[in-house]
């Protein structure tokens, strides 16, 4: 019995070691592929500067639309301009970091349709790392910078009684929000294995999700708020942390402690997205060409 127990423990330890090795290998491969694309991008610095500025300007139009709204009203859903800017900054930076890291996942459907995914399967590198780093778009930094500028403005002008918990929650929310959006990107890519041509459905939860989060939950129907909280938990990106920081009523009358759960939600989302990715990859059938 003791020998069987020891053998089981040894097998489990070996399996855990293999999984850790795969994660390390994937991170290393991601870094090498992303670095290759960054060097390629920086070979044309003027083009990089122009495309980055274009990315910055295009995303800035979203906040310009909010400014135009506030030129006609004093509050939106009971939230002032600095408070909405705080929501916008949290959402924009979180999504920008996720889009910068693995925004290339949205191209998976095209690879599945034309069969080029087969070339990734024969390489001794995790497929997820290859797809995520493929054509790494450093120009997406424009979105992150634009979000940081709006967030900086909001932090400078919003009326908040800052405490240590509130100060700590801001960077935690940004990182957790990026993790949640990364999970959405991966889960949406896994769906492409089945749908093959459903990029717009994926965009509804990624780009559409961050656009929704730029506005207070009070302006949306309760069913939509419930879906963004309990189905696709985008509310944990900014609505709930911002409610604590700004001392606003919580959506759906949730308890106050949920504002500190975004890291747990992000970890759970990433785990579920990983399971969805593995299931989708196992279901993949080559084009045969």
């Amino acid at each position: 019995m003791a020998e069987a127990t020891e053998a089981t423990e040894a097998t489990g330890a070996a399996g855990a070691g293999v999984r850790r090795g795969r994660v390390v290998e994937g991170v290393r491969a991601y870094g090498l592929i992303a670095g290759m694309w960054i060097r390629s991008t920086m070979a044309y610095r003027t083009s990089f500067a122009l495309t980055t500025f274009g990315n910055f300007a295009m995303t800035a139009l979203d906040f310009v639309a909010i400014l135009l709204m506030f030129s006609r009203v004093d509050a939106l859903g009971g939230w002032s301009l600095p408070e909405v800017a705080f929501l916008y900054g949290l959402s924009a930076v979180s999504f920008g970091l996720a889009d910068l890291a693995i925004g290339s996942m949205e191209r998976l459907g095209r690879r599945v349709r034309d069969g080029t995914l087969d070339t990734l399967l024969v390489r001794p590198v995790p497929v997820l790392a290859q797809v995520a780093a493929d054509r790494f778009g450093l120009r997406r930094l424009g979105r992150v910078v634009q979000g940081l500028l709006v967030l900086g403005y909001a932090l400078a002008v919003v009326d908040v009684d800052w405490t240590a918990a509130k100060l700590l929650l801001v960077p935690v929310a940004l990182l957790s929000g990026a993790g949640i959006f990364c999970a959405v990107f991966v889960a949406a890519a896994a769906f492409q294995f089945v749908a093959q041509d459903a990029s717009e459905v994926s965009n509804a939860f990624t780009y559409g999700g961050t656009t929704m989060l730029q506005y207070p939950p009070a302006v949306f129907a309760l069913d939509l708020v419930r879906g963004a909280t309990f189905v696709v938990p985008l509310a944990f990106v900014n609505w709930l942390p911002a409610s604590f920081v700004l001392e606003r009523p919580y959506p759906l009358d949730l308890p106050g402690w949920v504002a500190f759960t975004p890291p747990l939600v992000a970890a759970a989302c990433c785990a579920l997205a990983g399971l969805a990715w593995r299931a989708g990859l196992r279901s993949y059938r080559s084009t045969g060409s």
Side-chain angles (χ1 to χ4, degrees):
M1 178 66 76
E3 293 179 355
T5 302
E6 291 177 359
T8 301
E9 292 177 351
T11 302
V18 170
R19 286 192 293 271
R20 284 194 296 271
R22 291 286 291 176
V23 171
V24 172
E25 180 185 359
V27 172
R28 180 175 178 274
Y30 175 90
L32 291 173
I33 297 172
M36 176 192 70
W37 284 106
I38 291 173
R39 290 192 297 273
S40 174
T41 299
M42 297 310 294
Y44 304 93
R45 297 180 185 272
T46 302
S47 175
F48 165 70
L50 291 175
T51 54
T52 302
F53 176 76
N55 193 273
F56 173 94
M58 289 296 295
T59 55
L61 292 177
D62 291 337
F63 191 65
V64 170
I66 293 175
L67 292 176
L68 291 175
M69 292 182 192
F70 276 94
S71 68
R72 298 297 181 183
V73 298
D74 295 327
L76 187 62
W79 293 57
S80 65
L81 176 59
E83 292 172 331
V84 173
F86 184 64
L87 283 179
Y88 179 99
L90 289 178
S91 172
V93 174
S94 295
F95 179 78
L97 291 173
D99 190 37
L100 174 67
I102 63 172
S104 297
M105 296 293 297
E106 63 184 4
R107 296 192 181 93
L108 181 66
R110 189 182 310 164
R111 282 190 172 277
V112 171
R113 292 194 302 274
D114 61 22
T116 55
L117 183 64
D118 294 0
T119 61
L120 307 184
L121 293 173
V122 298
R123 297 173 183 169
V125 177
V127 178
L128 179 59
Q130 297 183 70
V131 176
D134 183 42
R135 297 186 178 276
F136 185 87
L138 194 61
R139 68 185 182 280
R140 296 184 178 120
L141 277 174
R143 178 187 292 273
V144 179
V145 171
Q146 189 266 335
L148 284 172
L149 290 176
V150 175
L151 181 60
Y153 157 75
L155 293 174
V157 300
V158 73
D159 184 16
V160 173
D161 183 16
W162 289 103
T163 63
K166 292 179 179 179
L167 287 172
L168 180 61
L169 188 57
V170 173
V172 169
L174 290 174
L175 295 177
S176 301
I180 292 172
F181 273 122
C182 282
V184 174
F185 268 113
V186 173
F191 179 66
Q192 297 284 354
F193 284 113
V194 179
Q196 297 184 5
D197 189 15
S199 58
E200 294 307 318
V201 175
S202 302
N203 292 342
F205 293 97
T206 52
Y207 294 94
T210 189
T211 301
M212 180 183 70
L213 294 178
Q214 293 168 3
Y215 298 91
V219 305
F220 298 106
L222 282 179
D223 287 341
L224 183 58
V225 176
R226 291 190 186 100
T229 304
F230 301 116
V231 181
V232 182
L234 297 177
F236 292 85
V237 174
N238 65 346
W239 282 352
L240 296 173
S243 296
F244 174 80
V245 172
L246 302 175
E247 299 181 1
R248 281 282 183 177
Y250 286 76
L252 307 176
D253 295 324
L254 294 171
W257 55 264
V258 297
F260 298 93
T261 59
L264 299 177
V265 173
C269 288
C270 288
L272 292 173
L275 292 175
W277 172 261
R278 286 191 289 272
L281 192 59
R282 284 195 298 269
S283 69
Y284 173 69
R285 296 293 180 267
S286 172
T287 59
S289 58

